[in-house]
Amino acid sequence: MYSASSSVSAPPRPVYPSAVEPGLRPRQVTAIRRGPAAASHPLSGRIDLTGPQGSQLRNAVAAVQRICPEFTPVQLLRRGARTALLIGSSGRAPAVAKCLLDHSPTWAERFRHEIAAYRTFVRHRPPVRAPRLIAADPDSCVLVMERMPGRVVSPQRHPSHPPSRGDVRAALSAYSRINLWRPPAGSFDAPIDYPARINRYHELGLLTDRDMGDLHKLLHGLTHAQGQFCHGDALLSNVLLSPAGPSLVDWEHAGWYLPGYDLAVLWTVLGDDLAARRQISKQAQEAGPAARDAFLVNLMLVLTREIRTYELAVQRTMRAPGPVAPGSAEAGEEQRLLLRRLHDDCGMARGAVRAAVGTR
């Protein structure tokens, strides 16, 4: 960001393999969404509604069909601890139904935030393609939307192999276009309370006293900085590429952030692509010192969140009772290697933050 000694885009270092997804928030993407012509082929398979978890899926399907009677479920695309994603059709159009399984207040509020985003897109179309809303119910936390064609840029949160330069450019361009959009006032809120987030990470022992002080100093200089609209979860798995152009999905974190939040997320997950990181760092500081400082604050918070997420995942793996499942040892080692890389990245970002504070 400044000189070669304090840049967050260099120097090169040993490349560690990326980890598989931690259990906190699995991001599994099947071939159904990967193929460029996926929407042109009929779906096959069935939804298994038997077993101890079958009643939960039956309730989810019933909730979907209450708000969208024409929705015909065909296949369970993804089921996590908190949500289920069903693919099928609404009339003759391919559709996706997203249902919340964990109705705790925090997750219900986040789900309703995503519904509100899609409702806003009905009235004010964003500059990048997004799924069209078909039906939604904030009370039962059910969302039915258009199923977008295209292939996902990368199904992994932290890709083990860098995507092609063209794919990275397309993803960066899509998120950058969103960052330039100015939706109407009041249509989105600010998902992050920055001072509170910094203080919480400090209380958890994830930030040192100096980290907290430096970040608060940068925040103080950004008091009058104009917010930037961000997707909020700028992962490569949320970008679908098709001949018609890129599409962005999963808008549950969309809102107003300090400038550069989406760039900070992309920088974090592209750990094995130094060229892309240099491009992102350059773009982040083109608007001047304030934009640079905002990017650094975002970067420290995103890296700290990732470190905490993967540390918890490694701890769960180590505490798991019973015999070791096939592949779990390799997965645990990959998570530890990713953690080492994230700590290295956080060290680079910390140095850049301190250099930025020194220029004030």
Side-chain angles (χ1 to χ4, degrees):
M1 295 297 292
Y2 306 93
S3 62
S5 61
S6 63
S7 171
V8 295
S9 59
R13 46 168 172 53
V15 177
Y16 310 117
S18 296
V20 296
E21 288 306 291
L24 284 180
R25 196 173 176 210
R27 175 80 58 182
Q28 303 167 4
V29 182
T30 70
I32 293 171
R33 231 173 74 175
R34 290 181 193 166
S40 62
H41 296 286
L43 299 171
S44 60
R46 66 186 183 87
I47 301 174
D48 185 5
L49 300 178
T50 62
Q53 296 181 331
S55 61
Q56 202 173 38
L57 279 181
R58 285 197 298 272
N59 291 337
V61 171
V64 172
Q65 293 181 330
R66 274 197 300 272
I67 67 167
C68 186
E70 64 272 22
F71 179 79
T72 303
V74 175
Q75 199 164 356
L76 178 65
L77 177 62
R78 184 175 73 234
R79 176 178 181 154
R82 300 182 179 92
T83 60
L85 206 61
L86 303 165
I87 51 178
S89 60
S90 176
R92 296 185 178 182
V96 176
K98 186 174 182 179
C99 312
L100 187 66
L101 304 178
D102 178 359
H103 285 265
S104 59
T106 299
W107 293 105
E109 181 60 30
R110 182 173 295 181
F111 199 96
R112 293 178 184 122
H113 180 89
E114 185 172 14
I115 289 176
Y118 283 110
R119 286 179 169 173
T120 298
F121 295 161
V122 173
R123 302 185 301 273
H124 310 282
R125 295 300 297 172
V128 175
R129 296 183 71 209
R132 178 180 58 85
L133 178 66
I134 297 175
D137 181 14
D139 293 330
S140 58
C141 292
V142 176
L143 174 63
V144 183
M145 54 199 152
E146 171 190 14
R147 180 167 170 250
M148 304 297 290
R151 61 178 177 85
V152 68
V153 171
S154 173
Q156 296 175 301
R157 185 180 187 88
H158 294 265
S160 54
H161 301 286
S164 70
R165 288 191 177 186
D167 286 359
V168 172
R169 280 197 302 269
L172 181 56
S173 173
Y175 286 120
S176 297
R177 289 167 62 191
I178 282 294
N179 297 156
L180 295 174
W181 189 43
R182 307 292 297 180
S187 53
F188 289 93
D189 58 12
I192 294 181
D193 181 336
Y194 281 89
R197 180 72 59 90
I198 292 169
N199 293 339
R200 182 160 64 90
Y201 284 166
H202 176 257
E203 291 169 0
L204 292 170
L206 300 169
L207 295 174
T208 66
D209 292 346
R210 182 169 179 180
D211 290 336
M212 182 178 68
D214 287 346
L215 290 173
H216 277 300
K217 287 177 184 176
L218 292 186
L219 274 183
H220 181 73
L222 296 168
T223 303
H224 301 294
Q226 187 177 42
Q228 182 182 70
F229 182 77
C230 293
H231 178 277
D233 199 19
L235 305 175
L236 299 177
S237 56
N238 286 333
V239 184
L240 301 179
L241 300 180
S242 73
S247 306
L248 298 182
V249 298
D250 287 357
W251 292 85
E252 62 190 85
H253 300 281
W256 295 98
Y257 294 78
L258 285 177
Y261 187 85
D262 284 344
L263 294 179
V265 174
L266 279 174
W267 191 97
T268 298
V269 301
L270 284 168
D272 295 338
D273 193 337
L274 298 182
R277 281 189 159 185
R278 283 192 293 269
Q279 181 182 355
I280 291 169
S281 295
K282 179 181 178 182
Q283 182 172 326
Q285 61 183 327
E286 283 178 345
R292 174 204 65 191
D293 292 352
F295 171 72
L296 289 175
V297 171
N298 285 320
L299 186 59
M300 278 295 292
L301 294 185
V302 170
L303 285 167
T304 302
R305 180 197 64 195
E306 293 294 294
I307 288 171
R308 181 169 184 256
T309 298
Y310 281 87
E311 282 181 343
L312 291 173
V314 170
Q315 291 171 10
R316 282 200 311 273
T317 301
M318 295 175 63
R319 291 198 304 262
V324 178
S328 61
E330 292 83 356
E333 180 62 19
E334 288 178 347
Q335 288 176 345
R336 285 187 285 273
L337 290 171
L338 175 60
L339 263 174
R340 190 195 310 171
R341 196 199 80 197
L342 289 170
H343 279 291
D344 288 348
D345 291 342
C346 198
M348 286 194 291
R350 179 176 290 113
V353 166
R354 291 177 180 176
V357 171
T359 64
R360 289 200 161 273

